[in-house]
Amino acid sequence: MKKMVSLLMSVVFLAVPVAPALAQSMDDPVKEKAKVLASKIVSDYEVSGIQYAIRDHGSVVVSGGAGLKDKAAGTPVTKDTMFGIGSVSKMYATAAAMKLVDSRQIELDKPLTTYLKDFRMADERYRKITPRMLMNHSSGLYGSHYENGFLFDDNDTKTHDQLLTKLRSEHLKADPGEFSVYCNDGFQLLEILVERMSGLSYSEFLNIHFGQPLDLSSTKTPRDTFDRNRLAKTYAPGSDKAWPVENVNLIGTGGIYSTAEEISKFGDVLIGNRTDLLSEKSAKAMQSHEYRKGLWVPEESNAFNYGLGWDAVKLTPFDEYGITALSKGGDTLMYHATLTALPEHDISIAVLSSGGSSIHNSIMASNVLLEYVKKKGIIKEILPEKISQPAVKTDMPSELRAYSGLYGATDKMINLDIKDGEIDMPALGGLTPAQKFVYTGKGEFKNNEGNLTVSFDRLKNGKTYLKLNALLTFPGLGQTVMVVYESQKLDRNPLDPATKKVWEQRNGKLYYALDEKITSVGYTNQALLTKEITVNADYGYASGTKIVNKNKAVNAAVVPVMNGRDSFDLNFYKKNHKEYVTIAGQTYIKGDDIPPFSHGSSEIRSIPYNGQASWYRIDKQSAGRTLTVKAPADGEFAVYDAEGKLVNFSKISKQYSAVLPEGGLVVFGGHAGDVFKIDLKKN
């Protein structure tokens, strides 16, 4: 889910004051640290409201927040304000499945097909997938089916209901258990597994087995009935108008709402302190160092080292103090969360926000928690921040030039040219800008500041990987370390001239989603509904996939940790002289084949029989005119300018007229057969 979130991280929110109801006494260094960091995140990191809580041996010892729950009403965040928690929801799915282990209804290492008889794939290796592999991200599944997973005021279960059907036509990208790479579909399968084995809906299971015993009155799913006004509001860039409620219908993956205090209470279950709800054995199993089992980076300080459900079971910087720390982060398109726990000390912290990023929340959580364990005498001092030394270039061994070539990961390719001990490196991981790296010895290249290091690893699968070791500093918040494989070196895949010509014509072309409901959060940002096909015909690859023939390309890279997530194949076809492509079960139309918007008045637009969205190009004849739409009950439309910027989305604005910008797009959505009456007038 984090990949989709990165597209919205440019949202700018207004800085708002600390909530008076949660203001803490400044005679406590822990409360002061929490208040300062929370206020910093609100003022500088695109957050409208934030909430945090520390629990120690079963009791909340610090609880606070900053910013506003509702800008229009001026309502501050309180301890009862609810937030979406994104992928922290995976810990609930993992715990739910582990309860089935405790009751001997399932076994971690038996094939999933033992329990889900209708789970099938077009790849016989699927029979080897186990519940453990779903929890540690090593199933080999391509990654995520996001279609209609993020909707405004709409808890449609289509994504959940159709997952098994979609998987039947899909392949695996690796042998089950070969390596771990973040995989949302694994936790959707856990959700289905819990339902099938318990005979309850997933929401009912969570409420009966965790919600009621723990008195989690603020922990809900989109399928639950509760007061949505308790949720922190979310906002469009530069606007004080609240967006509708975001429902993440991928519940096992990221659909839960909660509060910081209640997440910290659930943390007691995860670290083995509520053996009436989850056995100590299961809690310990979740903390196992699963990342050691497959292809992985060496055991060094890192924000990623998977357990069962957990992103990290050996989280930096706590490992430097000899403290075991567990961590799980989560991002929806609007909400962000982190849970960090110290199981040996029965301490946990949760940080939730509207806007921002789980990375920011995680850094805050670590720094506040360090202050807390120092206060308790668990550590004597907090280590100073790491200081990077500027890169000093040295002579590069000539054999390193062999690492030049094309590298790929999901939906991206990097062409590296190593010469004279230098690499012009593009932006990496969405967190670092394009810059020059120089050779500094020991097989490593560093950027000028010395906080980023890239090197090349050849792993036991015979593949060569570009490895990134990043020390990232966020002003006013602190630091984090990430060690990941950025991409995989791709072998040349020669194409015949005819195939090469077809793919070259697709290079740089945009394709637009047709299957996304008009209630989708994706319509707030055109980029979320668009696929740009990038082609390197000389090497024989497109958007990180290996070209097979004129109309098909298959996943090529098997990149562990994060950058190999959400893999896909490309399948192009033509219908009625228009080109389409299917990606992860979704259909996209080529932008060049989108018809122009008619400039006549009082015309009718209807949704086709298959219910797909209807896109139109705004040509010169329609540009500058005012479009007024009379929409059916569940119909909406959106308008974008030539740069893809949202001009109007009626689901949010409730405005059913807009001036059409030249070169932009209009999209209508609703139910099959829905009719829109439009009026287009000159201004």
Side-chain angles (χ1 to χ4, degrees):
M1 298 168 80
K2 293 176 182 174
K3 180 181 178 183
M4 295 179 71
V5 172
S6 66
L7 293 170
L8 292 181
M9 286 180 61
S10 60
V11 177
V12 178
F13 291 96
L14 299 178
V16 288
V18 175
L22 296 179
Q24 302 286 355
S25 169
M26 290 302 100
D27 59 1
D28 185 324
V30 179
K31 293 177 180 178
E32 181 176 2
K33 170 74 80 172
K35 180 176 180 180
V36 168
L37 292 180
S39 297
K40 187 68 174 177
I41 288 177
V42 168
S43 64
D44 293 4
Y45 288 90
E46 303 170 353
V47 167
S48 56
I50 191 167
Q51 181 191 73
Y52 53 85
I54 299 176
R55 186 174 294 268
D56 187 347
H57 287 81
S59 298
V60 173
V61 293
V62 175
S63 180
L68 295 176
K69 170 182 176 283
D70 185 335
K71 291 182 181 181
T75 309
V77 170
T78 72
K79 68 183 182 64
D80 297 318
T81 303
M82 295 169 62
F83 294 77
I85 68 171
S87 285
V88 176
S89 303
K90 290 181 173 67
M91 299 311 303
Y92 294 74
T94 305
M98 294 305 290
K99 277 194 72 70
L100 298 179
V101 174
D102 283 346
S103 61
R104 299 185 178 181
Q105 291 177 270
I106 68 169
E107 293 183 25
L108 276 180
D109 297 311
K110 275 195 172 182
L112 187 61
T113 53
T114 306
Y115 313 109
L116 298 183
K117 303 296 185 182
D118 51 345
F119 170 50
R120 297 190 297 275
M121 297 184 70
D123 187 323
E124 284 301 308
R125 294 176 295 176
Y126 83 94
R127 299 178 186 275
K128 298 178 181 179
I129 296 174
T130 66
R132 180 189 299 277
M133 294 172 188
L134 302 180
M135 298 177 194
N136 68 17
H137 303 280
S138 70
S139 64
L141 294 167
Y142 266 29
S144 303
H145 287 81
Y146 286 126
E147 180 185 343
N148 296 312
F150 300 77
L151 303 178
F152 282 131
D153 290 330
D154 185 347
N155 59 8
D156 190 338
T157 62
K158 181 179 179 180
T159 298
H160 167 282
D161 300 341
Q162 294 186 351
L163 179 60
L164 290 176
T165 300
K166 287 190 173 184
L167 289 174
R168 287 176 187 170
S169 62
E170 296 185 3
H171 293 77
L172 297 176
K173 61 186 172 189
D175 290 338
E178 180 183 353
F179 69 94
S180 292
V181 58
Y182 203 82
C183 178
N184 286 315
D185 280 351
F187 292 83
Q188 288 303 102
L189 286 173
L190 284 179
E191 177 184 338
I192 294 170
L193 175 65
V194 169
E195 291 180 326
R196 295 286 183 85
M197 301 308 294
S198 69
L200 299 169
S201 74
Y202 183 66
S203 297
E204 289 171 335
F205 186 95
L206 292 183
N207 184 46
I208 291 171
H209 292 283
F210 298 120
Q212 293 177 14
L214 291 169
D215 191 25
L216 302 181
S217 61
S218 299
T219 300
K220 304 293 181 180
T221 79
R223 303 300 296 170
D224 290 326
T225 299
F226 68 97
D227 182 5
R228 263 61 174 177
N229 289 321
R230 293 188 56 198
L231 290 165
K233 305 296 185 183
T234 58
Y235 299 89
S239 172
D240 288 349
K241 180 178 175 59
W243 281 359
V245 171
E246 176 194 41
N247 289 326
V248 178
N249 297 313
L250 314 165
I251 302 176
T253 288
I256 291 176
Y257 309 104
S258 192
T259 66
E261 288 194 7
E262 289 200 359
I263 290 177
S264 71
K265 186 183 289 189
F266 186 70
D268 279 346
V269 175
L270 301 176
I271 60 179
N273 288 344
R274 288 298 303 264
T275 54
D276 56 323
L277 302 181
L278 188 68
S279 71
E280 184 177 359
K281 180 181 179 181
S282 285
K284 285 288 186 184
M286 291 168 65
Q287 300 168 30
S288 60
H289 290 221
E290 296 289 314
Y291 64 95
R292 294 175 176 168
K293 296 180 179 179
L295 301 175
W296 200 254
V297 295
E299 289 193 37
E300 49 197 313
S301 291
N302 201 353
F304 299 110
N305 33 62
Y306 296 138
L308 298 181
W310 295 105
D311 287 342
V313 293
K314 185 174 175 286
L315 179 68
T316 188
F318 296 94
D319 58 324
E320 299 174 30
Y321 298 88
I323 298 174
T324 296
L326 316 170
S327 181
K328 183 72 192 85
D331 301 271
T332 73
L333 293 176
M334 302 174 187
Y335 292 118
H336 312 276
T338 193
L339 170 66
T340 301
L342 310 181
E344 297 163 345
H345 301 284
D346 292 338
I347 301 170
S348 63
I349 183 172
V351 181
L352 315 181
S353 67
S354 172
S357 166
S358 64
I359 294 174
H360 306 145
N361 296 2
S362 179
I363 294 171
M364 173 182 166
S366 291
N367 286 332
V368 173
L369 211 49
L370 284 174
E371 196 72 50
Y372 185 72
V373 296
K374 177 187 173 186
K375 177 185 174 183
K376 290 197 64 170
I378 296 172
I379 63 174
K380 292 182 179 179
E381 297 294 338
I382 297 176
L383 299 174
E385 288 192 342
K386 294 179 173 63
I387 300 176
S388 301
Q389 298 299 321
V392 177
K393 186 178 179 181
T394 189
D395 292 338
M396 184 190 79
S398 60
E399 59 265 25
L400 291 183
R401 289 199 294 269
Y403 289 117
S404 294
L406 186 68
Y407 288 74
T410 300
D411 205 15
K412 71 175 183 179
M413 297 182 293
I414 301 172
N415 203 338
L416 296 185
D417 185 14
I418 305 172
K419 57 184 179 182
D420 301 324
E422 297 182 353
I423 309 174
D424 287 325
M425 195 73 69
L428 297 175
L431 294 170
T432 66
Q435 56 196 299
K436 187 182 296 293
F437 283 65
V438 300
Y439 185 70
T440 57
K442 299 181 180 180
E444 297 179 340
F445 297 78
K446 294 181 181 290
N447 65 339
N448 184 57
E449 291 78 11
N451 68 310
L452 304 177
T453 302
V454 296
S455 56
F456 301 90
D457 278 1
R458 186 172 178 84
L459 300 185
K460 59 186 178 183
N461 64 352
K463 307 295 184 182
T464 297
Y465 293 90
L466 174 66
K467 178 182 171 183
L468 171 66
N469 190 320
L471 173 63
L472 302 174
T473 300
F474 295 85
L477 290 185
Q479 295 179 326
T480 189
V481 174
M482 293 185 182
V483 186
V484 296
Y485 289 121
E486 177 64 26
S487 50
Q488 174 192 317
K489 195 171 192 293
L490 301 175
D491 297 327
R492 285 187 179 272
N493 173 40
L495 304 178
D496 63 76
T499 299
K500 185 176 182 180
K501 181 178 180 180
V502 168
W503 282 92
E504 285 177 334
Q505 292 172 346
R506 293 183 178 127
N507 186 37
K509 297 297 184 180
L510 298 177
Y511 292 74
Y512 295 85
L514 295 175
D515 300 323
E516 201 73 3
K517 293 181 69 174
I518 199 63
T519 52
S520 172
V521 176
Y523 288 100
T524 64
N525 188 322
Q526 186 179 292
L528 295 173
L529 302 173
T530 307
K531 284 291 184 184
E532 180 177 2
I533 305 300
T534 57
V535 179
N536 188 315
D538 290 335
Y539 271 85
Y541 293 86
S543 298
T545 62
K546 183 178 182 179
I547 297 171
V548 175
N549 57 41
K550 291 180 181 179
N551 292 312
K552 184 178 181 64
V554 298
N555 176 65
V558 288
V559 184
V561 193
M562 290 295 292
N563 289 327
R565 60 177 293 177
D566 299 345
S567 302
F568 54 77
D569 299 337
L570 298 172
N571 292 283
F572 291 87
Y573 66 95
K574 287 194 174 182
K575 183 178 180 181
N576 298 327
H577 307 291
K578 297 179 181 180
E579 185 171 71
Y580 301 84
V581 61
T582 57
I583 303 172
Q586 286 190 272
T587 304
Y588 296 74
I589 185 173
K590 187 177 182 180
D592 292 350
D593 291 334
I594 292 175
F597 192 75
S598 169
H599 59 276
S601 297
S602 300
E603 293 198 8
I604 297 296
R605 293 289 185 272
S606 61
I607 302 301
Y609 72 93
N610 55 15
Q612 291 181 331
S614 296
W615 291 85
Y616 298 92
R617 287 185 292 107
I618 302 171
D619 55 17
K620 290 184 178 180
Q621 288 76 19
S622 299
R625 297 177 178 233
T626 297
L627 169 68
T628 301
V629 176
K630 184 177 182 180
D634 295 318
E636 306 288 352
F637 77 103
V639 179
Y640 306 91
D641 67 15
E643 303 300 318
K645 182 179 178 181
L646 182 66
V647 173
N648 181 54
F649 180 20
S650 62
K651 176 65 180 176
I652 293 175
S653 68
K654 301 303 179 185
Q655 300 296 317
Y656 289 85
S657 64
V659 177
L660 299 183
E662 184 175 349
L665 292 167
V666 181
V667 59
F668 296 88
H671 299 303
D674 274 355
V675 172
F676 295 77
K677 187 173 182 180
I678 66 170
D679 186 51
L680 197 59
K681 293 182 178 179
K682 292 183 178 180
N683 291 328

